[in-house]
Amino acid sequence: MHFFEEEVKRFMKKKEMVERGDHIAVAVSGGVDSMALLFFLNKQRLHLGITVSAIHVDHMLRGGESLEDLRFVEEFCREIDVPFFGRRANAKHEAEVSHSSIQKAARNVRYALFEQGMDELGANKLATAHHADDQVETVLMQLTRGGHTQAGIPAVRSFAGGRIIRPFLGVTKEDIQAYTDDHLIKCREDPSNQKDTYTRNRFRHQVLSFLKKENPKAPLHIQHFAEERQEDEQFLRMLAQETIKNISTWEQETVSLQIEPFHEVPLPLQKRAIHLILNYLYHGKTAFSFLHIQHILQLLQSTAPSGKLNLPSRLSVRKINKQCIFAYETDEEPDYSNDFLFQEDRIYRQGAGTFTLTEKSVCPDEAECFRLKPDTPMPICIRMRQNGDRIELKGMNSAKKLARLLIDEKVPLAYRDYIPVVTDANGTILWVPGIRKSIHEGDGPLLLIYEKE
């Protein structure tokens, strides 16, 4: 049997990627990597005891060329008798509406359609064609940006009630290319992959090419490094959790920590313990950074008997003698008044932030924005949530209770009464900043800018 197939199967077994009875939807762009993955999994479906289907998303960024990619993948699936789910999504329009980069908007619509495709196909796993070269680029980009993790791309992670799996992480781009050549697998390449305007492409063409000249096996070495980092991190977090179990008290939205025994914990476990506490209180949302953890450690190590830090979303960290209390601030009463904005108005709400209604075309950095439809009833109203509030969301047939939305979004109970709600003059909820936008966002001239306090 082909060495490549044996290597991929060995990696999949090691990572426990598949079980008999799985339905795996393959994310297929039409390029070399994803076409090879679809071909491989379909060839091995009986041996692995799985069902295979394909999902393709056309981001509509290359006009007729990208539409041809969709048709190409659809035809290939027809030839090999694989169920196909293909959709077109206007990534450029999504970027304009959400005021984000094209890359971010494309990723958002892509993964939303992956989830929809899995649901319609009945798949419980999504396979993507990331390989060892991609792992190198990701690890180096994380290191360059100074992120708190350098573990790279996980081989398996949760997604849409199932899992994303990456069978090709243990092989290189050259391995995949050789496999497609050997089996005469047809493919189409996106010319944007050659443009150095994208950060990842610059790493690929300049940094990765240099590393491969130094050592052709560099991608596999860095992939092994990333695997070990992920395993080490998982072990250290489990150890941190076990270590602080008897010196901390965890309640629904409060954690108290005994400072003196915490000082006896090794620093690497201290950092991970703080990370666990913040992750617990923020319900898995990445609302904090490496700097927040450093500041908390500095507070705990200081000789002062008391002190306080204010973290995002009204979470405070208080040092009180021998205790450190992580809790949400509820001292101030929510502002239940209504504020109204006409064009070029600017208002500040205590505990929430600043709202500006303007004709600006671009959302400022570090701000959130909502573009109004041309016929939005004025003035715009900023208020706190009320009993019975409902919001109309994309993809839903009926309005959703705001109280239910805040629960589903895992917004801390103590913080829910402090979240601003944006409505039009008729009381229709347009936006809950930081949470979700309604279906009423449009392409009119007015932009509502929110700068969080």
Side-chain angles (χ1 to χ4, degrees), residues 32-261:
V32 170
D33 306 331
S34 61
M35 291 295 287
L37 180 59
L38 177 59
F39 180 90
F40 165 79
L41 288 175
N42 187 56
K43 183 180 178 183
Q44 298 293 327
R45 69 186 187 282
L46 296 179
H47 172 77
L48 296 172
I50 60 174
T51 300
V52 175
S53 57
I55 298 176
H56 176 90
V57 177
D58 172 13
H59 301 101
M60 301 174 65
L61 295 174
R62 293 181 289 117
E65 188 176 25
S66 63
L67 179 57
E68 284 302 311
D69 290 348
L70 185 151
R71 290 171 176 163
F72 168 79
V73 176
E74 184 177 21
E75 177 59 28
F76 183 80
C77 290
R78 187 178 297 113
E79 289 176 5
I80 62 174
D81 196 26
V82 165
F84 174 77
F85 173 93
R87 292 292 186 275
R88 307 189 77 200
N90 193 330
K92 184 177 180 181
H93 176 71
E94 178 66 22
E96 292 171 351
V97 168
S98 61
H99 308 286
S100 60
S101 68
I102 287 286
Q103 293 89 347
K104 183 178 180 181
R107 187 185 190 281
N108 288 342
V109 298
R110 181 166 66 252
Y111 276 85
L113 287 171
F114 284 166
E115 184 170 357
Q116 181 184 339
M118 289 175 67
D119 183 59
E120 291 194 19
L121 292 166
N124 64 317
K125 289 179 180 174
L126 176 76
T128 66
H130 294 92
H131 46 74
D133 291 32
D134 294 319
Q135 186 71 284
V136 175
E137 296 159 14
T138 301
V139 170
L140 293 178
M141 287 167 66
Q142 290 174 339
L143 287 166
T144 302
R145 291 169 178 167
H148 64 271
T149 178
Q150 298 88 39
I153 307 169
V156 179
R157 75 170 178 87
S158 299
F159 177 72
R163 289 184 170 187
I164 290 179
I165 61 172
R166 298 182 170 102
F168 281 0
L169 273 183
V171 294
T172 66
K173 177 73 173 183
E174 287 80 7
D175 295 332
I176 297 170
Q177 184 66 62
Y179 184 70
T180 59
D181 292 343
D182 289 348
H183 290 83
L184 303 177
I185 301 170
K186 296 177 291 184
C187 61
R188 289 173 60 89
E189 284 302 323
D190 182 347
S192 66
N193 290 334
Q194 303 304 317
K195 296 180 180 179
D196 277 354
T197 51
Y198 301 118
T199 303
R200 182 173 289 275
N201 287 357
R202 291 196 296 274
F203 273 85
R204 179 176 304 155
H205 300 149
Q206 299 170 30
V207 182
L208 181 57
S209 62
F210 167 77
L211 292 176
K212 284 185 172 182
K213 288 177 183 177
E214 292 294 311
N215 184 353
K217 292 191 175 183
L220 295 177
H221 295 327
I222 294 177
Q223 162 59 21
H224 293 153
F225 162 80
E227 283 187 58
E228 291 179 356
R229 284 280 300 175
Q230 291 166 13
E231 292 166 359
D232 291 351
E233 188 63 31
Q234 184 179 9
F235 172 75
L236 287 170
R237 288 196 180 183
M238 289 174 57
L239 192 58
Q241 191 168 21
E242 187 65 26
T243 301
I244 66 167
K245 186 168 61 176
N246 296 324
I247 61 172
S248 59
T249 303
W250 301 57
E251 298 178 5
Q252 184 177 1
E253 293 182 3
T254 304
V255 175
S256 59
L257 184 67
Q258 298 175 37
I259 296 175
E260 288 186 0

Side-chain angles (χ1 to χ4, degrees), residues 376-417:
T376 300
M378 302 294 285
I380 296 302
C381 175
I382 313 295
R383 61 170 174 80
M384 295 295 110
R385 70 185 180 115
Q386 299 173 356
N387 290 334
D389 273 345
R390 290 177 175 270
I391 182 171
E392 296 174 279
L393 301 171
K394 292 180 181 178
M396 297 190 65
N397 296 325
S398 59
K400 184 170 186 172
K401 290 183 179 179
L402 183 55
R404 182 72 252 173
L405 174 65
L406 298 181
I407 292 171
D408 291 345
E409 293 290 326
K410 296 182 170 57
V411 176
L413 180 62
Y415 183 51
R416 292 174 198 166
D417 287 332

